[in-house]
PDB file of all heavy atoms in Angstrom:
ATOM      1  N   GLU A 135       2.585  33.113 -14.124  1.00  0.00           N
ATOM      2  CA  GLU A 135       2.000  34.224 -14.870  1.00  0.00           C
ATOM      3  C   GLU A 135       0.681  34.667 -14.232  1.00  0.00           C
ATOM      4  O   GLU A 135      -0.034  33.865 -13.646  1.00  0.00           O
ATOM      5  CB  GLU A 135       1.746  33.819 -16.323  1.00  0.00           C
ATOM      6  CG  GLU A 135       3.020  33.627 -17.133  1.00  0.00           C
ATOM      7  CD  GLU A 135       2.703  33.268 -18.579  1.00  0.00           C
ATOM      8  OE1 GLU A 135       1.523  33.372 -18.973  1.00  0.00           O
ATOM      9  OE2 GLU A 135       3.632  32.868 -19.300  1.00  0.00           O
ATOM     10  N   ARG A 136       0.360  35.947 -14.340  1.00  0.00           N
ATOM     11  CA  ARG A 136      -0.911  36.486 -13.850  1.00  0.00           C
ATOM     12  C   ARG A 136      -1.514  37.407 -14.923  1.00  0.00           C
ATOM     13  O   ARG A 136      -1.622  38.618 -14.756  1.00  0.00           O
ATOM     14  CB  ARG A 136      -0.711  37.264 -12.538  1.00  0.00           C
ATOM     15  CG  ARG A 136      -0.213  36.433 -11.370  1.00  0.00           C
ATOM     16  CD  ARG A 136      -1.258  35.423 -10.901  1.00  0.00           C
ATOM     17  NE  ARG A 136      -0.807  34.674  -9.736  1.00  0.00           N
ATOM     18  CZ  ARG A 136      -0.134  33.523  -9.794  1.00  0.00           C
ATOM     19  NH1 ARG A 136       0.155  33.004 -10.986  1.00  0.00           N
ATOM     20  NH2 ARG A 136       0.222  32.901  -8.701  1.00  0.00           N
ATOM     21  N   PRO A 137      -1.914  36.832 -16.076  1.00  0.00           N
ATOM     22  CA  PRO A 137      -2.444  37.670 -17.162  1.00  0.00           C
ATOM     23  C   PRO A 137      -3.836  38.216 -16.825  1.00  0.00           C
ATOM     24  O   PRO A 137      -4.585  37.614 -16.060  1.00  0.00           O
ATOM     25  CB  PRO A 137      -2.504  36.694 -18.342  1.00  0.00           C
ATOM     26  CG  PRO A 137      -2.682  35.355 -17.708  1.00  0.00           C
ATOM     27  CD  PRO A 137      -1.906  35.406 -16.417  1.00  0.00           C
ATOM     28  N   GLN A 138      -4.177  39.347 -17.424  1.00  0.00           N
ATOM     29  CA  GLN A 138      -5.493  39.947 -17.205  1.00  0.00           C
ATOM     30  C   GLN A 138      -6.587  39.214 -17.968  1.00  0.00           C
ATOM     31  O   GLN A 138      -7.755  39.276 -17.582  1.00  0.00           O
ATOM     32  CB  GLN A 138      -5.457  41.421 -17.633  1.00  0.00           C
ATOM     33  CG  GLN A 138      -4.607  42.303 -16.737  1.00  0.00           C
ATOM     34  CD  GLN A 138      -5.173  42.403 -15.328  1.00  0.00           C
ATOM     35  OE1 GLN A 138      -6.357  42.661 -15.142  1.00  0.00           O
ATOM     36  NE2 GLN A 138      -4.326  42.191 -14.338  1.00  0.00           N
ATOM     37  N   ASN A 139      -6.200  38.527 -19.048  1.00  0.00           N
ATOM     38  CA  ASN A 139      -7.198  37.782 -19.819  1.00  0.00           C
ATOM     39  C   ASN A 139      -6.522  36.583 -20.474  1.00  0.00           C
ATOM     40  O   ASN A 139      -5.301  36.405 -20.372  1.00  0.00           O
ATOM     41  CB  ASN A 139      -7.856  38.670 -20.870  1.00  0.00           C
ATOM     42  CG  ASN A 139      -9.214  38.137 -21.318  1.00  0.00           C
ATOM     43  OD1 ASN A 139      -9.667  37.079 -20.882  1.00  0.00           O
ATOM     44  ND2 ASN A 139      -9.874  38.880 -22.197  1.00  0.00           N
ATOM     45  N   ILE A 140      -7.322  35.774 -21.173  1.00  0.00           N
ATOM     46  CA  ILE A 140      -6.837  34.543 -21.782  1.00  0.00           C
ATOM     47  C   ILE A 140      -6.469  34.831 -23.231  1.00  0.00           C
ATOM     48  O   ILE A 140      -7.343  35.143 -24.056  1.00  0.00           O
ATOM     49  CB  ILE A 140      -7.922  33.447 -21.731  1.00  0.00           C
ATOM     50  CG1 ILE A 140      -8.386  33.213 -20.296  1.00  0.00           C
ATOM     51  CG2 ILE A 140      -7.401  32.154 -22.344  1.00  0.00           C
ATOM     52  CD1 ILE A 140      -9.665  32.400 -20.212  1.00  0.00           C
ATOM     53  N   GLN A 141      -5.212  34.700 -23.539  1.00  0.00           N
ATOM     54  CA  GLN A 141      -4.762  35.006 -24.895  1.00  0.00           C
ATOM     55  C   GLN A 141      -5.353  34.037 -25.916  1.00  0.00           C
ATOM     56  O   GLN A 141      -5.722  34.434 -27.016  1.00  0.00           O
ATOM     57  CB  GLN A 141      -3.231  34.954 -24.947  1.00  0.00           C
ATOM     58  CG  GLN A 141      -2.650  35.322 -26.297  1.00  0.00           C
ATOM     59  CD  GLN A 141      -1.126  35.333 -26.291  1.00  0.00           C
ATOM     60  OE1 GLN A 141      -0.503  35.153 -25.245  1.00  0.00           O
ATOM     61  NE2 GLN A 141      -0.535  35.539 -27.448  1.00  0.00           N
ATOM     62  N   ALA A 142      -5.458  32.771 -25.545  1.00  0.00           N
ATOM     63  CA  ALA A 142      -5.933  31.761 -26.493  1.00  0.00           C
ATOM     64  C   ALA A 142      -7.426  31.882 -26.785  1.00  0.00           C
ATOM     65  O   ALA A 142      -7.893  31.387 -27.809  1.00  0.00           O
ATOM     66  CB  ALA A 142      -5.622  30.362 -25.954  1.00  0.00           C
ATOM     67  N   TRP A 143      -8.184  32.528 -25.884  1.00  0.00           N
ATOM     68  CA  TRP A 143      -9.636  32.657 -26.086  1.00  0.00           C
ATOM     69  C   TRP A 143     -10.109  33.869 -25.284  1.00  0.00           C
ATOM     70  O   TRP A 143     -10.753  33.740 -24.233  1.00  0.00           O
ATOM     71  CB  TRP A 143     -10.334  31.388 -25.619  1.00  0.00           C
ATOM     72  CG  TRP A 143     -11.764  31.258 -26.069  1.00  0.00           C
ATOM     73  CD1 TRP A 143     -12.538  32.201 -26.639  1.00  0.00           C
ATOM     74  CD2 TRP A 143     -12.584  30.078 -25.948  1.00  0.00           C
ATOM     75  NE1 TRP A 143     -13.798  31.719 -26.888  1.00  0.00           N
ATOM     76  CE2 TRP A 143     -13.855  30.405 -26.488  1.00  0.00           C
ATOM     77  CE3 TRP A 143     -12.386  28.806 -25.471  1.00  0.00           C
ATOM     78  CZ2 TRP A 143     -14.910  29.475 -26.521  1.00  0.00           C
ATOM     79  CZ3 TRP A 143     -13.424  27.880 -25.501  1.00  0.00           C
ATOM     80  CH2 TRP A 143     -14.674  28.207 -26.024  1.00  0.00           C
ATOM     81  N   PRO A 144      -9.808  35.059 -25.738  1.00  0.00           N
ATOM     82  CA  PRO A 144     -10.071  36.268 -24.934  1.00  0.00           C
ATOM     83  C   PRO A 144     -11.547  36.525 -24.666  1.00  0.00           C
ATOM     84  O   PRO A 144     -11.896  37.210 -23.709  1.00  0.00           O
ATOM     85  CB  PRO A 144      -9.441  37.387 -25.762  1.00  0.00           C
ATOM     86  CG  PRO A 144      -9.276  36.829 -27.131  1.00  0.00           C
ATOM     87  CD  PRO A 144      -9.093  35.360 -26.986  1.00  0.00           C
ATOM     88  N   GLU A 145     -12.435  36.001 -25.485  1.00  0.00           N
ATOM     89  CA  GLU A 145     -13.872  36.252 -25.307  1.00  0.00           C
ATOM     90  C   GLU A 145     -14.493  35.362 -24.231  1.00  0.00           C
ATOM     91  O   GLU A 145     -15.617  35.625 -23.783  1.00  0.00           O
ATOM     92  CB  GLU A 145     -14.623  36.014 -26.631  1.00  0.00           C
ATOM     93  CG  GLU A 145     -14.133  36.829 -27.797  1.00  0.00           C
ATOM     94  CD  GLU A 145     -12.924  36.198 -28.507  1.00  0.00           C
ATOM     95  OE1 GLU A 145     -12.581  35.027 -28.158  1.00  0.00           O
ATOM     96  OE2 GLU A 145     -12.336  36.860 -29.378  1.00  0.00           O
ATOM     97  N   LEU A 146     -13.779  34.314 -23.821  1.00  0.00           N
ATOM     98  CA  LEU A 146     -14.387  33.260 -23.002  1.00  0.00           C
ATOM     99  C   LEU A 146     -14.867  33.765 -21.646  1.00  0.00           C
ATOM    100  O   LEU A 146     -16.060  33.720 -21.327  1.00  0.00           O
ATOM    101  CB  LEU A 146     -13.387  32.109 -22.829  1.00  0.00           C
ATOM    102  CG  LEU A 146     -13.853  30.945 -21.953  1.00  0.00           C
ATOM    103  CD1 LEU A 146     -15.105  30.300 -22.523  1.00  0.00           C
ATOM    104  CD2 LEU A 146     -12.737  29.897 -21.835  1.00  0.00           C
ATOM    105  N   LEU A 147     -13.950  34.216 -20.796  1.00  0.00           N
ATOM    106  CA  LEU A 147     -14.335  34.609 -19.441  1.00  0.00           C
ATOM    107  C   LEU A 147     -15.263  35.830 -19.428  1.00  0.00           C
ATOM    108  O   LEU A 147     -16.238  35.844 -18.661  1.00  0.00           O
ATOM    109  CB  LEU A 147     -13.094  34.867 -18.592  1.00  0.00           C
ATOM    110  CG  LEU A 147     -12.420  33.616 -18.024  1.00  0.00           C
ATOM    111  CD1 LEU A 147     -11.186  34.009 -17.208  1.00  0.00           C
ATOM    112  CD2 LEU A 147     -13.374  32.814 -17.158  1.00  0.00           C
ATOM    113  N   PRO A 148     -15.013  36.863 -20.234  1.00  0.00           N
ATOM    114  CA  PRO A 148     -15.960  37.989 -20.237  1.00  0.00           C
ATOM    115  C   PRO A 148     -17.383  37.561 -20.574  1.00  0.00           C
ATOM    116  O   PRO A 148     -18.343  38.040 -19.950  1.00  0.00           O
ATOM    117  CB  PRO A 148     -15.388  38.931 -21.311  1.00  0.00           C
ATOM    118  CG  PRO A 148     -13.911  38.641 -21.300  1.00  0.00           C
ATOM    119  CD  PRO A 148     -13.807  37.168 -21.044  1.00  0.00           C
ATOM    120  N   ALA A 149     -17.517  36.664 -21.542  1.00  0.00           N
ATOM    121  CA  ALA A 149     -18.857  36.219 -21.927  1.00  0.00           C
ATOM    122  C   ALA A 149     -19.525  35.451 -20.790  1.00  0.00           C
ATOM    123  O   ALA A 149     -20.705  35.679 -20.466  1.00  0.00           O
ATOM    124  CB  ALA A 149     -18.772  35.352 -23.178  1.00  0.00           C
ATOM    125  N   LEU A 150     -18.788  34.543 -20.180  1.00  0.00           N
ATOM    126  CA  LEU A 150     -19.359  33.727 -19.099  1.00  0.00           C
ATOM    127  C   LEU A 150     -19.719  34.585 -17.892  1.00  0.00           C
ATOM    128  O   LEU A 150     -20.798  34.434 -17.299  1.00  0.00           O
ATOM    129  CB  LEU A 150     -18.371  32.624 -18.701  1.00  0.00           C
ATOM    130  CG  LEU A 150     -18.131  31.538 -19.749  1.00  0.00           C
ATOM    131  CD1 LEU A 150     -16.990  30.616 -19.305  1.00  0.00           C
ATOM    132  CD2 LEU A 150     -19.399  30.721 -19.987  1.00  0.00           C
ATOM    133  N   LEU A 151     -18.826  35.471 -17.503  1.00  0.00           N
ATOM    134  CA  LEU A 151     -19.075  36.280 -16.310  1.00  0.00           C
ATOM    135  C   LEU A 151     -20.172  37.318 -16.555  1.00  0.00           C
ATOM    136  O   LEU A 151     -20.897  37.705 -15.620  1.00  0.00           O
ATOM    137  CB  LEU A 151     -17.778  36.949 -15.860  1.00  0.00           C
ATOM    138  CG  LEU A 151     -16.696  35.974 -15.369  1.00  0.00           C
ATOM    139  CD1 LEU A 151     -15.414  36.709 -15.027  1.00  0.00           C
ATOM    140  CD2 LEU A 151     -17.189  35.174 -14.169  1.00  0.00           C
ATOM    141  N   ARG A 152     -20.310  37.760 -17.787  1.00  0.00           N
ATOM    142  CA  ARG A 152     -21.421  38.667 -18.119  1.00  0.00           C
ATOM    143  C   ARG A 152     -22.757  37.971 -17.880  1.00  0.00           C
ATOM    144  O   ARG A 152     -23.684  38.557 -17.303  1.00  0.00           O
ATOM    145  CB  ARG A 152     -21.292  39.126 -19.581  1.00  0.00           C
ATOM    146  CG  ARG A 152     -22.477  39.971 -20.074  1.00  0.00           C
ATOM    147  CD  ARG A 152     -22.261  40.468 -21.492  1.00  0.00           C
ATOM    148  NE  ARG A 152     -21.872  39.411 -22.422  1.00  0.00           N
ATOM    149  CZ  ARG A 152     -22.728  38.530 -22.940  1.00  0.00           C
ATOM    150  NH1 ARG A 152     -24.011  38.567 -22.614  1.00  0.00           N
ATOM    151  NH2 ARG A 152     -22.302  37.606 -23.790  1.00  0.00           N
ATOM    152  N   ILE A 153     -22.837  36.716 -18.312  1.00  0.00           N
ATOM    153  CA  ILE A 153     -24.070  35.948 -18.100  1.00  0.00           C
ATOM    154  C   ILE A 153     -24.319  35.757 -16.606  1.00  0.00           C
ATOM    155  O   ILE A 153     -25.435  35.923 -16.101  1.00  0.00           O
ATOM    156  CB  ILE A 153     -23.974  34.583 -18.803  1.00  0.00           C
ATOM    157  CG1 ILE A 153     -23.875  34.759 -20.318  1.00  0.00           C
ATOM    158  CG2 ILE A 153     -25.154  33.695 -18.439  1.00  0.00           C
ATOM    159  CD1 ILE A 153     -23.544  33.481 -21.070  1.00  0.00           C
ATOM    160  N   VAL A 154     -23.256  35.397 -15.891  1.00  0.00           N
ATOM    161  CA  VAL A 154     -23.381  35.121 -14.458  1.00  0.00           C
ATOM    162  C   VAL A 154     -23.931  36.329 -13.709  1.00  0.00           C
ATOM    163  O   VAL A 154     -24.802  36.198 -12.833  1.00  0.00           O
ATOM    164  CB  VAL A 154     -22.002  34.719 -13.875  1.00  0.00           C
ATOM    165  CG1 VAL A 154     -22.057  34.687 -12.345  1.00  0.00           C
ATOM    166  CG2 VAL A 154     -21.574  33.363 -14.406  1.00  0.00           C
ATOM    167  N   MET A 155     -23.441  37.499 -14.041  1.00  0.00           N
ATOM    168  CA  MET A 155     -23.793  38.705 -13.283  1.00  0.00           C
ATOM    169  C   MET A 155     -25.061  39.399 -13.777  1.00  0.00           C
ATOM    170  O   MET A 155     -25.473  40.404 -13.202  1.00  0.00           O
ATOM    171  CB  MET A 155     -22.619  39.685 -13.316  1.00  0.00           C
ATOM    172  CG  MET A 155     -21.370  39.164 -12.642  1.00  0.00           C
ATOM    173  SD  MET A 155     -21.639  38.731 -10.906  1.00  0.00           S
ATOM    174  CE  MET A 155     -21.817  40.373 -10.201  1.00  0.00           C
ATOM    175  N   ASP A 156     -25.662  38.875 -14.822  1.00  0.00           N
ATOM    176  CA  ASP A 156     -26.888  39.471 -15.360  1.00  0.00           C
ATOM    177  C   ASP A 156     -28.093  38.858 -14.642  1.00  0.00           C
ATOM    178  O   ASP A 156     -28.576  37.789 -14.998  1.00  0.00           O
ATOM    179  CB  ASP A 156     -26.970  39.230 -16.867  1.00  0.00           C
ATOM    180  CG  ASP A 156     -28.146  39.970 -17.509  1.00  0.00           C
ATOM    181  OD1 ASP A 156     -28.998  40.493 -16.763  1.00  0.00           O
ATOM    182  OD2 ASP A 156     -28.195  40.020 -18.751  1.00  0.00           O
ATOM    183  N   GLY A 157     -28.590  39.546 -13.612  1.00  0.00           N
ATOM    184  CA  GLY A 157     -29.691  39.017 -12.811  1.00  0.00           C
ATOM    185  C   GLY A 157     -30.982  38.870 -13.578  1.00  0.00           C
ATOM    186  O   GLY A 157     -31.907  38.194 -13.120  1.00  0.00           O
TER     187      GLY A 157
END
Side-chain angles (χ1 to χ4, degrees):
E135 290 182 11
R136 297 292 183 270
Q138 291 295 311
N139 202 358
I140 304 166
Q141 183 177 355
W143 194 349
E145 303 84 8
L146 178 60
L147 280 179
L150 292 172
L151 294 176
R152 174 177 50 78
I153 296 170
V154 169
M155 297 302 289
D156 187 349

